[in-house]
Amino acid sequence: MLLIEELRHITIDGKKYKRKIKCFCGQRLNYSIVSHIKNEHPEVWQKWVKQFIKLRSKGWSYKRIMKTFSINGKPLFSWTVIEREVKRMMEKDTNLVKLPPMKNAKIWYPKNFKLERTTVWSFPRRGSWAVHRSDYRGNWAPQVPRNLILRYTKPKELVLDPFVGGGTTLIEAWLTGRRSIGIDINPIAHEIAKHSLKELEDLARNFPGLHLAPDIKPLLILGDSRKLIQILSEYGYEEGDVDLVCAHPPYFNSLRYTENIEGDLSHINKLDNFCKEIYNIAKQLHLLLKDEGICAVLIGDVRKNKRMVPLGFRIMKEFENAGFQIKDIIIKLQHQDQSTQFWYRNNNLDFLIAHEYLFIFKK
Ligand SMILES: C[S@@+](CC[C@H](N)C(=O)[O-])C[C@H]1O[C@@H](n2cnc3c(N)ncnc32)[C@H](O)[C@@H]1O
Ligand SMILES: [Zn+2]
């Protein structure tokens, strides 16, 4: 079924990287038609983007939308093209795309949860209790912040996540009775986190078994963590107020979180510059943390231009330079990292990266 008129007059021949596309205007193109449509038929592209947004708002996945832009079963472009366009529009106006409807959560706490005891952690299935969802790419399994919060804080103490993404840490902090602050620069992440926390609050109202103390409702801030101290002081916080930091920064530029947001660390292309910004944030985290407080950082190594970038060790050094002392190094196994698998297959690498580091620093 072709929903879009122009698709009737486009043809695709050949396979994969050798494919040839004939546009409805007669122009023949190698492999991709996207830049041609954007430049030569901008009104058509705009119409298509509107269609992406309309379908996304109905809760369709990017892959499913991609299928409606196929010709005889061959997708005209990849789903990442669609994702990029939708994100670009949403960053400008987060109301454009409606988030999927409330989930009817019935399980509030992980079953048979035990604190980790060794320096190797593995969660083959990311937790899906309460309102945890997997729709923020690059989020961490809720088991990670839950372990950190339960091990290093007491009820009512304050947890800070300077890269809060979809809000995983804040959900866990509220469920475990801790106060929390989460900051992220990405307006889409902010919307997802806001949505999940609201969902949690609404569901808890009708569920007598779950008590979410209103006085410890998480504080969610849309902002740039390079200005952490300034931002937190506007909310009345001072140096030494934080009991635990749970930080999960971008893995350099391996996954771009936003399209057009100034200050997003995942846009930085020089490793030294990325590390400088991490150092600057680590310094502020050090000041905000109480004496002897714990700062946990999850980060993985990356491959760039077929070379290994030992990002984990670089970041560890930056935190040490900022005044922290390394207390523990935990290896967290990585499951289902498709991006590394792609690289592995296509670049004849010997090994697939299957671990991340969880550094436990002490002030
Ligand atoms: C690895 S993700 C964190 C995911 C999070 N742990 C979760 O469960 O959803 C890294 C986050 O850092 C954010 N980020 C990038 N630059 C930032 C900055 N300057 N200030 C605050 N957040 C930033 C990105 O938007 C992204 O959400
Ligand atoms: Zn054309």
Side-chain angles (χ1 to χ4, degrees), residues 126 136-141 161-169 183-186 189 223-226 248-251 257-258 263-266 281:
R126 50 170 298 119
Y136 189 57
R137 272 220 280 162
N139 58 7
W140 58 8
D161 186 336
F163 307 102
V164 76
T168 319
T169 308
I183 303 183
D184 204 286
I185 203 163
N186 178 359
D224 185 344
S225 283
R226 294 174 308 168
H248 185 203
Y251 294 7
Y257 285 94
T258 63
D264 179 346
L265 299 184
S266 68
I281 294 173

PDB file of all heavy atoms in Angstrom, residues 126 136-141 161-169 183-186 189 223-226 248-251 257-258 263-266 281, ligand 1:
ATOM      1  N   ARG A 126      17.101  -5.875  30.872  1.00  0.00           N
ATOM      2  CA  ARG A 126      16.991  -4.628  31.619  1.00  0.00           C
ATOM      3  C   ARG A 126      15.667  -4.638  32.375  1.00  0.00           C
ATOM      4  O   ARG A 126      14.663  -5.132  31.877  1.00  0.00           O
ATOM      5  CB  ARG A 126      17.123  -3.391  30.735  1.00  0.00           C
ATOM      6  CG  ARG A 126      16.260  -3.369  29.500  1.00  0.00           C
ATOM      7  CD  ARG A 126      16.274  -2.009  28.830  1.00  0.00           C
ATOM      8  NE  ARG A 126      15.746  -0.999  29.707  1.00  0.00           N
ATOM      9  CZ  ARG A 126      16.424   0.046  30.133  1.00  0.00           C
ATOM     10  NH1 ARG A 126      17.643   0.237  29.738  1.00  0.00           N
ATOM     11  NH2 ARG A 126      15.865   0.915  30.952  1.00  0.00           N
ATOM     12  N   TYR A 136      14.287   5.331  25.434  1.00  0.00           N
ATOM     13  CA  TYR A 136      15.333   6.345  25.292  1.00  0.00           C
ATOM     14  C   TYR A 136      16.640   5.639  24.969  1.00  0.00           C
ATOM     15  O   TYR A 136      17.183   4.900  25.787  1.00  0.00           O
ATOM     16  CB  TYR A 136      15.469   7.201  26.552  1.00  0.00           C
ATOM     17  CG  TYR A 136      16.382   8.382  26.339  1.00  0.00           C
ATOM     18  CD1 TYR A 136      16.107   9.308  25.321  1.00  0.00           C
ATOM     19  CD2 TYR A 136      17.532   8.573  27.087  1.00  0.00           C
ATOM     20  CE1 TYR A 136      16.958  10.382  25.083  1.00  0.00           C
ATOM     21  CE2 TYR A 136      18.385   9.651  26.854  1.00  0.00           C
ATOM     22  CZ  TYR A 136      18.086  10.543  25.850  1.00  0.00           C
ATOM     23  OH  TYR A 136      18.925  11.610  25.598  1.00  0.00           O
ATOM     24  N   ARG A 137      17.126   5.856  23.747  1.00  0.00           N
ATOM     25  CA  ARG A 137      18.329   5.134  23.324  1.00  0.00           C
ATOM     26  C   ARG A 137      19.516   5.513  24.195  1.00  0.00           C
ATOM     27  O   ARG A 137      19.736   6.681  24.458  1.00  0.00           O
ATOM     28  CB  ARG A 137      18.641   5.479  21.864  1.00  0.00           C
ATOM     29  CG  ARG A 137      17.914   4.532  20.928  1.00  0.00           C
ATOM     30  CD  ARG A 137      18.796   4.149  19.763  1.00  0.00           C
ATOM     31  NE  ARG A 137      18.801   5.205  18.764  1.00  0.00           N
ATOM     32  CZ  ARG A 137      19.718   5.299  17.824  1.00  0.00           C
ATOM     33  NH1 ARG A 137      20.692   4.412  17.751  1.00  0.00           N
ATOM     34  NH2 ARG A 137      19.664   6.261  16.944  1.00  0.00           N
ATOM     35  N   GLY A 138      20.261   4.531  24.613  1.00  0.00           N
ATOM     36  CA  GLY A 138      21.450   4.800  25.417  1.00  0.00           C
ATOM     37  C   GLY A 138      21.152   4.868  26.906  1.00  0.00           C
ATOM     38  O   GLY A 138      22.004   5.278  27.679  1.00  0.00           O
ATOM     39  N   ASN A 139      19.952   4.474  27.308  1.00  0.00           N
ATOM     40  CA  ASN A 139      19.671   4.527  28.756  1.00  0.00           C
ATOM     41  C   ASN A 139      20.302   3.338  29.474  1.00  0.00           C
ATOM     42  O   ASN A 139      20.652   2.342  28.860  1.00  0.00           O
ATOM     43  CB  ASN A 139      18.164   4.606  29.028  1.00  0.00           C
ATOM     44  CG  ASN A 139      17.394   3.444  28.446  1.00  0.00           C
ATOM     45  OD1 ASN A 139      17.982   2.491  27.946  1.00  0.00           O
ATOM     46  ND2 ASN A 139      16.090   3.515  28.508  1.00  0.00           N
ATOM     47  N   TRP A 140      20.449   3.470  30.792  1.00  0.00           N
ATOM     48  CA  TRP A 140      21.060   2.354  31.520  1.00  0.00           C
ATOM     49  C   TRP A 140      19.993   1.514  32.179  1.00  0.00           C
ATOM     50  O   TRP A 140      18.866   1.969  32.399  1.00  0.00           O
ATOM     51  CB  TRP A 140      22.140   2.800  32.493  1.00  0.00           C
ATOM     52  CG  TRP A 140      21.831   3.778  33.581  1.00  0.00           C
ATOM     53  CD1 TRP A 140      20.599   4.265  33.934  1.00  0.00           C
ATOM     54  CD2 TRP A 140      22.789   4.410  34.445  1.00  0.00           C
ATOM     55  NE1 TRP A 140      20.745   5.154  34.958  1.00  0.00           N
ATOM     56  CE2 TRP A 140      22.069   5.263  35.300  1.00  0.00           C
ATOM     57  CE3 TRP A 140      24.171   4.336  34.580  1.00  0.00           C
ATOM     58  CZ2 TRP A 140      22.694   6.043  36.275  1.00  0.00           C
ATOM     59  CZ3 TRP A 140      24.777   5.105  35.555  1.00  0.00           C
ATOM     60  CH2 TRP A 140      24.044   5.944  36.382  1.00  0.00           C
ATOM     61  N   ALA A 141      20.344   0.262  32.450  1.00  0.00           N
ATOM     62  CA  ALA A 141      19.398  -0.643  33.084  1.00  0.00           C
ATOM     63  C   ALA A 141      19.123  -0.114  34.489  1.00  0.00           C
ATOM     64  O   ALA A 141      20.061   0.284  35.185  1.00  0.00           O
ATOM     65  CB  ALA A 141      19.986  -2.042  33.162  1.00  0.00           C
ATOM     66  N   ASP A 161      21.957  13.088  39.309  1.00  0.00           N
ATOM     67  CA  ASP A 161      22.351  12.508  38.017  1.00  0.00           C
ATOM     68  C   ASP A 161      22.493  13.643  37.008  1.00  0.00           C
ATOM     69  O   ASP A 161      21.502  14.229  36.586  1.00  0.00           O
ATOM     70  CB  ASP A 161      21.306  11.481  37.549  1.00  0.00           C
ATOM     71  CG  ASP A 161      21.757  10.751  36.286  1.00  0.00           C
ATOM     72  OD1 ASP A 161      22.596  11.306  35.540  1.00  0.00           O
ATOM     73  OD2 ASP A 161      21.269   9.631  36.034  1.00  0.00           O
ATOM     74  N   PRO A 162      23.745  13.969  36.609  1.00  0.00           N
ATOM     75  CA  PRO A 162      23.956  15.100  35.701  1.00  0.00           C
ATOM     76  C   PRO A 162      23.673  14.787  34.236  1.00  0.00           C
ATOM     77  O   PRO A 162      23.737  15.693  33.400  1.00  0.00           O
ATOM     78  CB  PRO A 162      25.441  15.428  35.905  1.00  0.00           C
ATOM     79  CG  PRO A 162      26.062  14.138  36.331  1.00  0.00           C
ATOM     80  CD  PRO A 162      25.016  13.345  37.050  1.00  0.00           C
ATOM     81  N   PHE A 163      23.392  13.514  33.907  1.00  0.00           N
ATOM     82  CA  PHE A 163      23.047  13.124  32.517  1.00  0.00           C
ATOM     83  C   PHE A 163      21.829  12.211  32.597  1.00  0.00           C
ATOM     84  O   PHE A 163      21.914  11.030  32.256  1.00  0.00           O
ATOM     85  CB  PHE A 163      24.214  12.370  31.863  1.00  0.00           C
ATOM     86  CG  PHE A 163      25.538  13.101  31.925  1.00  0.00           C
ATOM     87  CD1 PHE A 163      26.513  12.747  32.847  1.00  0.00           C
ATOM     88  CD2 PHE A 163      25.806  14.144  31.040  1.00  0.00           C
ATOM     89  CE1 PHE A 163      27.732  13.417  32.912  1.00  0.00           C
ATOM     90  CE2 PHE A 163      27.018  14.817  31.089  1.00  0.00           C
ATOM     91  CZ  PHE A 163      27.985  14.454  32.021  1.00  0.00           C
ATOM     92  N   VAL A 164      20.724  12.740  33.023  1.00  0.00           N
ATOM     93  CA  VAL A 164      19.624  11.881  33.485  1.00  0.00           C
ATOM     94  C   VAL A 164      18.835  11.191  32.371  1.00  0.00           C
ATOM     95  O   VAL A 164      18.118  10.224  32.616  1.00  0.00           O
ATOM     96  CB  VAL A 164      18.695  12.669  34.441  1.00  0.00           C
ATOM     97  CG1 VAL A 164      17.802  13.616  33.656  1.00  0.00           C
ATOM     98  CG2 VAL A 164      17.883  11.727  35.308  1.00  0.00           C
ATOM     99  N   GLY A 165      18.991  11.672  31.129  1.00  0.00           N
ATOM    100  CA  GLY A 165      18.338  11.003  29.990  1.00  0.00           C
ATOM    101  C   GLY A 165      16.852  10.827  30.222  1.00  0.00           C
ATOM    102  O   GLY A 165      16.131  11.767  30.561  1.00  0.00           O
ATOM    103  N   GLY A 166      16.376   9.597  30.061  1.00  0.00           N
ATOM    104  CA  GLY A 166      14.955   9.293  30.197  1.00  0.00           C
ATOM    105  C   GLY A 166      14.476   9.192  31.644  1.00  0.00           C
ATOM    106  O   GLY A 166      13.311   8.850  31.884  1.00  0.00           O
ATOM    107  N   GLY A 167      15.346   9.458  32.611  1.00  0.00           N
ATOM    108  CA  GLY A 167      14.899   9.562  34.001  1.00  0.00           C
ATOM    109  C   GLY A 167      15.023   8.298  34.841  1.00  0.00           C
ATOM    110  O   GLY A 167      14.488   8.242  35.955  1.00  0.00           O
ATOM    111  N   THR A 168      15.762   7.304  34.347  1.00  0.00           N
ATOM    112  CA  THR A 168      15.894   6.025  35.064  1.00  0.00           C
ATOM    113  C   THR A 168      16.284   6.220  36.540  1.00  0.00           C
ATOM    114  O   THR A 168      15.667   5.641  37.439  1.00  0.00           O
ATOM    115  CB  THR A 168      16.970   5.144  34.380  1.00  0.00           C
ATOM    116  OG1 THR A 168      16.818   5.255  32.965  1.00  0.00           O
ATOM    117  CG2 THR A 168      16.852   3.697  34.799  1.00  0.00           C
ATOM    118  N   THR A 169      17.312   7.044  36.773  1.00  0.00           N
ATOM    119  CA  THR A 169      17.816   7.235  38.138  1.00  0.00           C
ATOM    120  C   THR A 169      16.752   7.867  39.041  1.00  0.00           C
ATOM    121  O   THR A 169      16.612   7.490  40.208  1.00  0.00           O
ATOM    122  CB  THR A 169      19.068   8.144  38.109  1.00  0.00           C
ATOM    123  OG1 THR A 169      19.987   7.590  37.169  1.00  0.00           O
ATOM    124  CG2 THR A 169      19.723   8.248  39.466  1.00  0.00           C
ATOM    125  N   ILE A 183      19.478  16.187  35.639  1.00  0.00           N
ATOM    126  CA  ILE A 183      19.628  17.237  34.619  1.00  0.00           C
ATOM    127  C   ILE A 183      19.951  16.585  33.288  1.00  0.00           C
ATOM    128  O   ILE A 183      20.709  15.605  33.229  1.00  0.00           O
ATOM    129  CB  ILE A 183      20.784  18.199  34.984  1.00  0.00           C
ATOM    130  CG1 ILE A 183      20.524  18.800  36.358  1.00  0.00           C
ATOM    131  CG2 ILE A 183      20.937  19.297  33.942  1.00  0.00           C
ATOM    132  CD1 ILE A 183      21.572  19.806  36.782  1.00  0.00           C
ATOM    133  N   ASP A 184      19.391  17.125  32.228  1.00  0.00           N
ATOM    134  CA  ASP A 184      19.791  16.696  30.892  1.00  0.00           C
ATOM    135  C   ASP A 184      19.579  17.862  29.938  1.00  0.00           C
ATOM    136  O   ASP A 184      18.684  18.687  30.128  1.00  0.00           O
ATOM    137  CB  ASP A 184      19.006  15.470  30.418  1.00  0.00           C
ATOM    138  CG  ASP A 184      19.760  14.685  29.353  1.00  0.00           C
ATOM    139  OD1 ASP A 184      19.830  15.176  28.193  1.00  0.00           O
ATOM    140  OD2 ASP A 184      20.305  13.599  29.664  1.00  0.00           O
ATOM    141  N   ILE A 185      20.394  17.894  28.901  1.00  0.00           N
ATOM    142  CA  ILE A 185      20.355  19.000  27.943  1.00  0.00           C
ATOM    143  C   ILE A 185      19.359  18.735  26.809  1.00  0.00           C
ATOM    144  O   ILE A 185      18.990  19.639  26.074  1.00  0.00           O
ATOM    145  CB  ILE A 185      21.778  19.243  27.383  1.00  0.00           C
ATOM    146  CG1 ILE A 185      21.913  20.669  26.859  1.00  0.00           C
ATOM    147  CG2 ILE A 185      22.135  18.214  26.310  1.00  0.00           C
ATOM    148  CD1 ILE A 185      23.349  21.117  26.686  1.00  0.00           C
ATOM    149  N   ASN A 186      18.938  17.487  26.698  1.00  0.00           N
ATOM    150  CA  ASN A 186      18.104  17.080  25.564  1.00  0.00           C
ATOM    151  C   ASN A 186      16.607  17.253  25.880  1.00  0.00           C
ATOM    152  O   ASN A 186      16.085  16.584  26.768  1.00  0.00           O
ATOM    153  CB  ASN A 186      18.434  15.610  25.255  1.00  0.00           C
ATOM    154  CG  ASN A 186      17.601  15.053  24.110  1.00  0.00           C
ATOM    155  OD1 ASN A 186      16.760  15.747  23.544  1.00  0.00           O
ATOM    156  ND2 ASN A 186      17.842  13.796  23.787  1.00  0.00           N
ATOM    157  N   ALA A 189      14.639  13.961  25.884  1.00  0.00           N
ATOM    158  CA  ALA A 189      14.871  13.165  27.100  1.00  0.00           C
ATOM    159  C   ALA A 189      14.056  13.753  28.239  1.00  0.00           C
ATOM    160  O   ALA A 189      13.416  13.031  29.019  1.00  0.00           O
ATOM    161  CB  ALA A 189      16.358  13.191  27.459  1.00  0.00           C
ATOM    162  N   GLY A 223      18.761  21.317  31.295  1.00  0.00           N
ATOM    163  CA  GLY A 223      19.885  22.248  31.389  1.00  0.00           C
ATOM    164  C   GLY A 223      21.209  21.605  31.035  1.00  0.00           C
ATOM    165  O   GLY A 223      21.300  20.410  30.781  1.00  0.00           O
ATOM    166  N   ASP A 224      22.244  22.432  31.056  1.00  0.00           N
ATOM    167  CA  ASP A 224      23.579  22.035  30.631  1.00  0.00           C
ATOM    168  C   ASP A 224      24.433  21.764  31.867  1.00  0.00           C
ATOM    169  O   ASP A 224      24.690  22.676  32.657  1.00  0.00           O
ATOM    170  CB  ASP A 224      24.164  23.184  29.806  1.00  0.00           C
ATOM    171  CG  ASP A 224      25.516  22.845  29.212  1.00  0.00           C
ATOM    172  OD1 ASP A 224      26.141  21.862  29.658  1.00  0.00           O
ATOM    173  OD2 ASP A 224      25.943  23.574  28.302  1.00  0.00           O
ATOM    174  N   SER A 225      24.876  20.544  32.026  1.00  0.00           N
ATOM    175  CA  SER A 225      25.623  20.176  33.234  1.00  0.00           C
ATOM    176  C   SER A 225      26.991  20.828  33.312  1.00  0.00           C
ATOM    177  O   SER A 225      27.645  20.758  34.346  1.00  0.00           O
ATOM    178  CB  SER A 225      25.754  18.658  33.336  1.00  0.00           C
ATOM    179  OG  SER A 225      24.527  18.148  33.791  1.00  0.00           O
ATOM    180  N   ARG A 226      27.427  21.465  32.262  1.00  0.00           N
ATOM    181  CA  ARG A 226      28.670  22.216  32.373  1.00  0.00           C
ATOM    182  C   ARG A 226      28.471  23.428  33.289  1.00  0.00           C
ATOM    183  O   ARG A 226      29.417  24.056  33.707  1.00  0.00           O
ATOM    184  CB  ARG A 226      29.139  22.658  30.982  1.00  0.00           C
ATOM    185  CG  ARG A 226      29.528  21.448  30.109  1.00  0.00           C
ATOM    186  CD  ARG A 226      29.859  21.865  28.703  1.00  0.00           C
ATOM    187  NE  ARG A 226      28.785  22.672  28.141  1.00  0.00           N
ATOM    188  CZ  ARG A 226      28.890  23.364  27.012  1.00  0.00           C
ATOM    189  NH1 ARG A 226      30.009  23.341  26.329  1.00  0.00           N
ATOM    190  NH2 ARG A 226      27.863  24.065  26.572  1.00  0.00           N
ATOM    191  N   HIS A 248      26.153   8.989  33.938  1.00  0.00           N
ATOM    192  CA  HIS A 248      26.249   8.125  32.755  1.00  0.00           C
ATOM    193  C   HIS A 248      26.364   9.038  31.532  1.00  0.00           C
ATOM    194  O   HIS A 248      25.391   9.281  30.832  1.00  0.00           O
ATOM    195  CB  HIS A 248      24.970   7.268  32.699  1.00  0.00           C
ATOM    196  CG  HIS A 248      24.962   6.242  31.621  1.00  0.00           C
ATOM    197  ND1 HIS A 248      23.789   5.720  31.114  1.00  0.00           N
ATOM    198  CD2 HIS A 248      25.962   5.641  30.949  1.00  0.00           C
ATOM    199  CE1 HIS A 248      24.073   4.841  30.182  1.00  0.00           C
ATOM    200  NE2 HIS A 248      25.376   4.767  30.061  1.00  0.00           N
ATOM    201  N   PRO A 249      27.592   9.562  31.318  1.00  0.00           N
ATOM    202  CA  PRO A 249      27.771  10.536  30.233  1.00  0.00           C
ATOM    203  C   PRO A 249      27.682   9.893  28.857  1.00  0.00           C
ATOM    204  O   PRO A 249      27.717   8.661  28.745  1.00  0.00           O
ATOM    205  CB  PRO A 249      29.183  11.070  30.490  1.00  0.00           C
ATOM    206  CG  PRO A 249      29.878  10.040  31.289  1.00  0.00           C
ATOM    207  CD  PRO A 249      28.837   9.279  32.049  1.00  0.00           C
ATOM    208  N   PRO A 250      27.611  10.728  27.801  1.00  0.00           N
ATOM    209  CA  PRO A 250      27.704  10.162  26.448  1.00  0.00           C
ATOM    210  C   PRO A 250      29.044   9.457  26.288  1.00  0.00           C
ATOM    211  O   PRO A 250      30.021   9.840  26.929  1.00  0.00           O
ATOM    212  CB  PRO A 250      27.659  11.397  25.535  1.00  0.00           C
ATOM    213  CG  PRO A 250      27.049  12.482  26.347  1.00  0.00           C
ATOM    214  CD  PRO A 250      27.427  12.195  27.772  1.00  0.00           C
ATOM    215  N   TYR A 251      29.076   8.422  25.463  1.00  0.00           N
ATOM    216  CA  TYR A 251      30.336   7.731  25.185  1.00  0.00           C
ATOM    217  C   TYR A 251      31.026   8.465  24.039  1.00  0.00           C
ATOM    218  O   TYR A 251      31.005   8.011  22.904  1.00  0.00           O
ATOM    219  CB  TYR A 251      30.083   6.260  24.836  1.00  0.00           C
ATOM    220  CG  TYR A 251      29.524   5.441  26.003  1.00  0.00           C
ATOM    221  CD1 TYR A 251      29.146   6.061  27.187  1.00  0.00           C
ATOM    222  CD2 TYR A 251      29.374   4.065  25.908  1.00  0.00           C
ATOM    223  CE1 TYR A 251      28.642   5.335  28.244  1.00  0.00           C
ATOM    224  CE2 TYR A 251      28.874   3.320  26.966  1.00  0.00           C
ATOM    225  CZ  TYR A 251      28.511   3.973  28.137  1.00  0.00           C
ATOM    226  OH  TYR A 251      28.011   3.246  29.184  1.00  0.00           O
ATOM    227  N   TYR A 257      23.073  12.356  20.765  1.00  0.00           N
ATOM    228  CA  TYR A 257      21.786  12.397  21.469  1.00  0.00           C
ATOM    229  C   TYR A 257      20.814  13.401  20.887  1.00  0.00           C
ATOM    230  O   TYR A 257      19.610  13.178  20.896  1.00  0.00           O
ATOM    231  CB  TYR A 257      22.003  12.643  22.960  1.00  0.00           C
ATOM    232  CG  TYR A 257      22.498  11.388  23.609  1.00  0.00           C
ATOM    233  CD1 TYR A 257      23.855  11.156  23.787  1.00  0.00           C
ATOM    234  CD2 TYR A 257      21.609  10.382  23.948  1.00  0.00           C
ATOM    235  CE1 TYR A 257      24.311   9.966  24.319  1.00  0.00           C
ATOM    236  CE2 TYR A 257      22.052   9.187  24.482  1.00  0.00           C
ATOM    237  CZ  TYR A 257      23.404   8.994  24.663  1.00  0.00           C
ATOM    238  OH  TYR A 257      23.844   7.813  25.163  1.00  0.00           O
ATOM    239  N   THR A 258      21.342  14.551  20.398  1.00  0.00           N
ATOM    240  CA  THR A 258      20.433  15.560  19.846  1.00  0.00           C
ATOM    241  C   THR A 258      20.921  15.941  18.457  1.00  0.00           C
ATOM    242  O   THR A 258      22.060  15.662  18.084  1.00  0.00           O
ATOM    243  CB  THR A 258      20.420  16.826  20.724  1.00  0.00           C
ATOM    244  OG1 THR A 258      21.729  17.401  20.702  1.00  0.00           O
ATOM    245  CG2 THR A 258      20.013  16.516  22.156  1.00  0.00           C
ATOM    246  N   GLY A 263      25.799  22.551  23.118  1.00  0.00           N
ATOM    247  CA  GLY A 263      26.283  22.115  24.441  1.00  0.00           C
ATOM    248  C   GLY A 263      26.189  20.616  24.652  1.00  0.00           C
ATOM    249  O   GLY A 263      26.727  20.100  25.630  1.00  0.00           O
ATOM    250  N   ASP A 264      25.505  19.916  23.742  1.00  0.00           N
ATOM    251  CA  ASP A 264      25.419  18.449  23.845  1.00  0.00           C
ATOM    252  C   ASP A 264      26.826  17.870  23.681  1.00  0.00           C
ATOM    253  O   ASP A 264      27.452  18.037  22.631  1.00  0.00           O
ATOM    254  CB  ASP A 264      24.472  17.936  22.746  1.00  0.00           C
ATOM    255  CG  ASP A 264      24.342  16.414  22.755  1.00  0.00           C
ATOM    256  OD1 ASP A 264      25.161  15.737  23.419  1.00  0.00           O
ATOM    257  OD2 ASP A 264      23.434  15.909  22.085  1.00  0.00           O
ATOM    258  N   LEU A 265      27.305  17.200  24.714  1.00  0.00           N
ATOM    259  CA  LEU A 265      28.681  16.668  24.683  1.00  0.00           C
ATOM    260  C   LEU A 265      28.885  15.639  23.573  1.00  0.00           C
ATOM    261  O   LEU A 265      30.006  15.425  23.123  1.00  0.00           O
ATOM    262  CB  LEU A 265      29.043  16.027  26.026  1.00  0.00           C
ATOM    263  CG  LEU A 265      29.018  16.915  27.276  1.00  0.00           C
ATOM    264  CD1 LEU A 265      29.497  16.112  28.482  1.00  0.00           C
ATOM    265  CD2 LEU A 265      29.893  18.139  27.099  1.00  0.00           C
ATOM    266  N   SER A 266      27.823  14.990  23.135  1.00  0.00           N
ATOM    267  CA  SER A 266      27.981  13.962  22.102  1.00  0.00           C
ATOM    268  C   SER A 266      28.224  14.568  20.712  1.00  0.00           C
ATOM    269  O   SER A 266      28.394  13.845  19.744  1.00  0.00           O
ATOM    270  CB  SER A 266      26.769  13.028  22.082  1.00  0.00           C
ATOM    271  OG  SER A 266      25.613  13.694  21.643  1.00  0.00           O
ATOM    272  N   ILE A 281      33.001  19.156  34.443  1.00  0.00           N
ATOM    273  CA  ILE A 281      31.802  18.677  35.145  1.00  0.00           C
ATOM    274  C   ILE A 281      32.213  17.906  36.413  1.00  0.00           C
ATOM    275  O   ILE A 281      31.618  18.075  37.480  1.00  0.00           O
ATOM    276  CB  ILE A 281      30.919  17.824  34.205  1.00  0.00           C
ATOM    277  CG1 ILE A 281      30.359  18.704  33.077  1.00  0.00           C
ATOM    278  CG2 ILE A 281      29.774  17.142  34.975  1.00  0.00           C
ATOM    279  CD1 ILE A 281      29.604  17.972  31.989  1.00  0.00           C
TER     280      ILE A 281
HETATM  281  C1  LIG B   1      24.239   7.811  28.226  1.00  0.00           C
HETATM  282  S1  LIG B   1      22.931   8.984  28.221  1.00  0.00           S
HETATM  283  C2  LIG B   1      22.264   8.863  29.825  1.00  0.00           C
HETATM  284  C3  LIG B   1      21.069   7.938  29.873  1.00  0.00           C
HETATM  285  C4  LIG B   1      20.444   7.776  31.254  1.00  0.00           C
HETATM  286  N1  LIG B   1      21.319   7.070  32.169  1.00  0.00           N
HETATM  287  C5  LIG B   1      19.115   7.012  31.142  1.00  0.00           C
HETATM  288  O1  LIG B   1      18.936   5.991  31.781  1.00  0.00           O
HETATM  289  O2  LIG B   1      18.250   7.446  30.361  1.00  0.00           O
HETATM  290  C6  LIG B   1      23.823  10.507  28.214  1.00  0.00           C
HETATM  291  C7  LIG B   1      22.966  11.755  28.318  1.00  0.00           C
HETATM  292  O3  LIG B   1      23.789  12.924  28.431  1.00  0.00           O
HETATM  293  C8  LIG B   1      23.060  14.020  27.905  1.00  0.00           C
HETATM  294  N2  LIG B   1      23.935  15.169  27.723  1.00  0.00           N
HETATM  295  C9  LIG B   1      24.827  15.424  26.743  1.00  0.00           C
HETATM  296  N3  LIG B   1      25.445  16.600  26.952  1.00  0.00           N
HETATM  297  C10 LIG B   1      24.943  17.108  28.117  1.00  0.00           C
HETATM  298  C11 LIG B   1      25.191  18.296  28.862  1.00  0.00           C
HETATM  299  N4  LIG B   1      26.081  19.208  28.467  1.00  0.00           N
HETATM  300  N5  LIG B   1      24.469  18.488  30.000  1.00  0.00           N
HETATM  301  C12 LIG B   1      23.558  17.578  30.421  1.00  0.00           C
HETATM  302  N6  LIG B   1      23.285  16.447  29.737  1.00  0.00           N
HETATM  303  C13 LIG B   1      23.973  16.213  28.603  1.00  0.00           C
HETATM  304  C14 LIG B   1      22.435  13.427  26.656  1.00  0.00           C
HETATM  305  O4  LIG B   1      21.325  14.191  26.227  1.00  0.00           O
HETATM  306  C15 LIG B   1      22.059  12.014  27.125  1.00  0.00           C
HETATM  307  O5  LIG B   1      20.717  11.971  27.540  1.00  0.00           O
END
